Amino acid sequence: MKYINVEDAKKIDGMRLVLSVGVPGPWGESAKALFHVKGISYTAVVQIPGAENTDLMEWTGQNGAPVAIYNDERFRVSWESLIWLAEEIAPDPPLIPSDARERALMFGLLREWVGENGLAWVRRLQLLDGVNAIPDMEELFHRLGEKYGYSKEEASLAEGKAASVLKMLCAELQGQKGRGSRYYIGQRLSALDIYSAVFSAVMLHPLSHKDIPMPGGMRTAYEKTFPLIEEALDPILLDHRDYIFKTYLKLPMDF
């Protein structure tokens, strides 16, 4: 993927999307997938994982990714605000349900997938736990660990938390299958389907190196299995992932 730096990004209009260079950050890859389905073009702006990114901090008030900057509008940093922005720019195809109950269900399930202390959050703590054991990774570990609240105690609880959310997500998909749907919500694609597919492709039984050429250490950490997670992971979730990629998204990931 071609990136521009922060200073150059400030000089242009349109959609600029700050992304982590060299790694498949699942929050950023999900934003890219969302924009792909919506047909929203963007310019990628570089963020270096684990670095201070002082230029980005001075511009946006934070040093992580993703961040969406659309023309002179406010910065969108949270996954929820990114979804709403995409929906505003390109209403078709709609990826947020119009029905209030379905909308609440979608955002509630999404929060359990990708929000603070959700499935992806605790899987990242498990990743950091693995990074902690790799020589020459101390600086990166401490910087990211402090940012995301890593502790040995929290990492030890991650497996149970992840399994609990996985059971719920798989039960939702099984219920939908019984209603003749391949999607989490109703009978059509939503943002939840996209985020679930991308996050599971990276963080749960990652797709092959050919499809996601992630760094070796990252792949090793995410390929490590945990008994409670494996027990909770119904094949329907990975089948859903494969269907969403085949039908709506593209591979290989480019970062």
Side-chain angles (χ1 to χ4, degrees):
M1 171 166 285
K2 182 179 180 181
Y3 291 85
I4 65 171
N5 60 37
V6 167
E7 288 305 313
D8 288 338
K10 293 178 181 178
K11 301 172 185 176
I12 62 174
D13 294 322
M15 178 65 75
R16 289 143 293 171
L17 188 60
V18 178
L19 297 165
S20 299
V21 64
V23 298
W27 282 266
E29 292 302 315
S30 294
K32 287 162 60 179
L34 190 74
F35 286 5
H36 170 71
V37 171
K38 289 282 194 181
I40 299 172
S41 61
Y42 61 88
T43 300
V45 183
V46 65
Q47 183 263 354
I48 301 174
E52 293 183 2
N53 295 290
T54 53
D55 52 353
L56 181 61
M57 175 68 78
E58 290 171 0
W59 187 30
T60 67
Q62 55 81 58
N63 64 358
V67 183
I69 306 99
Y70 184 59
N71 292 330
D72 58 354
E73 295 186 10
R74 62 185 173 88
F75 304 130
R76 267 67 166 206
V77 177
S78 71
W79 55 267
E80 184 176 359
S81 65
L82 278 163
I83 293 171
W84 280 109
L85 176 62
E87 197 80 347
E88 292 167 10
I89 294 172
D92 189 40
L95 296 177
I96 298 176
S98 59
D99 177 78
R101 185 182 180 282
E102 289 188 344
R103 186 167 60 249
L105 178 60
M106 188 199 80
F107 277 112
L109 293 174
L110 255 173
R111 203 228 70 80
E112 291 302 307
W113 236 125
V114 308
E116 187 163 343
N117 286 313
L119 173 55
W121 184 280
V122 297
R123 285 293 288 148
R124 183 165 54 189
L125 293 181
Q126 290 181 311
L127 170 68
L128 288 173
D129 207 41
V131 168
N132 190 30
I134 300 175
D136 302 322
M137 297 290 281
E138 292 87 352
E139 182 179 352
L140 176 63
F141 165 75
H142 286 297
R143 185 172 292 164
L144 293 179
E146 182 176 347
K147 183 174 183 178
Y148 299 119
Y150 171 87
S151 69
K152 274 291 183 183
E153 180 181 5
E154 287 297 319
S156 70
L157 297 173
E159 182 179 357
K161 290 180 179 180
S164 176
V165 177
L166 270 174
K167 288 179 182 178
M168 178 190 65
L169 293 169
C170 292
E172 288 292 331
L173 287 172
Q174 286 289 2
Q176 281 290 90
K177 181 179 180 180
R179 291 183 281 272
S181 176
R182 304 196 70 164
Y183 307 101
Y184 276 101
I185 308 294
Q187 298 290 327
R188 63 178 302 154
L189 183 75
S190 74
L192 172 58
D193 295 298
I194 294 171
Y195 275 69
S196 179
V198 173
F199 273 79
S200 57
V202 175
M203 291 182 141
L204 293 170
H205 290 225
L207 294 180
S208 70
H209 183 77
K210 177 182 177 182
D211 288 331
I212 309 180
M214 68 177 74
M218 185 179 187
R219 176 170 293 279
T220 297
Y222 281 142
E223 286 183 341
K224 182 179 179 181
T225 59
F226 296 85
L228 294 180
I229 292 177
E230 293 305 303
E231 181 181 348
L233 183 55
D234 188 312
I236 195 171
L237 191 139
L238 300 183
D239 290 344
H240 170 270
R241 174 198 69 188
D242 295 342
Y243 172 73
I244 297 301
F245 268 98
K246 180 180 178 180
T247 309
Y248 300 101
L249 306 182
K250 60 179 182 178
L251 290 170
M253 290 184 182
D254 180 18
F255 41 82

